[in-house]
Amino acid sequence: MTNRRNWSEVDSYFARTLIGSDPALEATLAANAAARLPSIDVSAPQGKLIHLLARMAGARKALEIGTLGGYSTIWLARALPDDGRLITLEVSARHADVARRNVAHAGLESRVEIRTGAALTTLPEIEAEGLGPFDFVFIDPDKTNNTAYLEWALRLSRLGTTIVVDNVVREGEVADPASRDPDVVGVRRMFELMARDPRLSATAIQTVGAKGWDGFALAVVI
Ligand SMILES: C[S@@+](CC[C@H](N)C(=O)[O-])C[C@H]1O[C@@H](n2cnc3c(N)ncnc32)[C@H](O)[C@@H]1O
């Protein structure tokens, strides 16, 4: 049971057993495929992990960077109370349009605001509008700017804010200091900041599954 096909089978088993049929999420993946969005959303067990982490954190206000078609957005928004708020940032207007339809179909549009534009442009706007601090931040856009996204997450945080960063293992390449892959370099710089910033207590967890070998960084603002 060591190859990628088996990892996917185990993910399917967990999804069947612990998550079950979810018409809104299934419709989201179908709409994303129909719109030819890349299939780089979190898996169902990973989406539920994000959801559970936000619930464990008692999150009311959440920020997501990297919406794609809104699959993780829906998982995260469902973790918030009825009067909770999720702001999610997406650079592609096409992705954001698909996500808006998916979020509305899931009945979550009152809780979710999708902002279009490069996150390094929209994050300062969010700060200027006084929309923080956020209780939970999920970082999942391009990886090259990961350090800047983590810095923004900190600026928009309070004591106790949970920060989750996706795709930090990159098939193991994160451990290669000689890697020139800009995504790997971006992730490694982000880890250096996580390690040295006294406001953060952090760890990282490797995952295998339908999305291959990757992982999440988890941090709390202390
Ligand atoms: C990995 S996908 C997000 C997947 C989504 N979180 C999910 O699991 O369903 C990354 C998304 O970030 C967006 N993105 C890339 N660079 C960005 C930037 N500078 N600002 C905002 N979004 C960006 C991409 O267009 C893409 O839709």
Side-chain angles (χ1 to χ4, degrees), residues 114-132:
I114 302 172
R115 290 204 176 195
T116 311
L120 292 179
T121 303
T122 49
L123 285 162
E125 293 167 4
I126 285 165
E127 183 182 48
E129 290 171 42
L131 297 175

Side-chain angles (χ1 to χ4, degrees), residues 183-199:
D183 291 336
V184 174
V185 173
V187 171
R188 286 178 64 90
R189 290 207 177 120
M190 186 276 302
F191 273 125
E192 283 157 27
L193 173 60
M194 233 174 212
R196 74 171 178 265
D197 195 306
R199 293 170 295 175

Side-chain angles (χ1 to χ4, degrees), residues 25-211:
L25 288 171
E26 285 155 21
T28 293
L29 293 181
N32 291 357
R36 298 188 181 282
L37 265 52
S39 175
I40 51 173
D41 11 48
V42 291
S43 67
Q46 290 171 344
K48 182 109 185 231
L49 173 71
I50 303 295
H51 170 90
L52 290 174
L53 289 170
R55 280 179 69 171
M56 288 169 187
R60 305 183 68 81
K61 279 206 291 185
L63 174 67
E64 177 182 62
I65 313 177
T67 317
L68 190 64
Y71 185 79
S72 57
T73 311
I74 292 170
W75 273 115
L76 188 47
R78 284 176 174 175
L80 308 180
D82 285 344
D83 62 347
R85 187 168 195 199
L86 167 59
I87 299 178
T88 180
L89 311 179
E90 173 55 56
V91 72
S92 157
R94 197 169 72 81
H95 294 184
D97 283 346
V98 175
R100 275 190 198 97
R101 287 196 292 276
N102 287 332
V103 166
H105 182 253
L108 291 163
E109 67 266 62
S110 63
R111 240 178 270 179
V112 176
E113 181 190 348
I114 302 172
R115 290 204 176 195
T116 311
L120 292 179
T121 303
T122 49
L123 285 162
E125 293 167 4
I126 285 165
E127 183 182 48
E129 290 171 42
L131 297 175
F134 293 92
D135 309 308
F136 189 93
V137 183
F138 180 44
I139 300 176
D140 191 21
D142 63 298
K143 312 305 161 188
T144 47
N145 287 313
N146 252 350
T147 307
Y149 298 137
L150 181 59
E151 280 165 348
W152 271 106
L154 274 164
R155 283 176 80 125
L156 295 167
S157 290
R158 56 159 174 83
L159 211 62
T161 293
T162 301
I163 301 172
V164 179
V165 189
D166 196 8
N167 306 122
V168 299
V169 173
R170 317 204 66 78
E171 305 267 336
E173 249 205 277
V174 70
D176 179 3
S179 174
R180 296 220 175 128
D181 179 326
D183 291 336
V184 174
V185 173
V187 171
R188 286 178 64 90
R189 290 207 177 120
M190 186 276 302
F191 273 125
E192 283 157 27
L193 173 60
M194 233 174 212
R196 74 171 178 265
D197 195 306
R199 293 170 295 175
L200 287 172
S201 177
T203 190
I205 290 293
Q206 304 183 65
T207 57
V208 294
K211 303 288 170 167

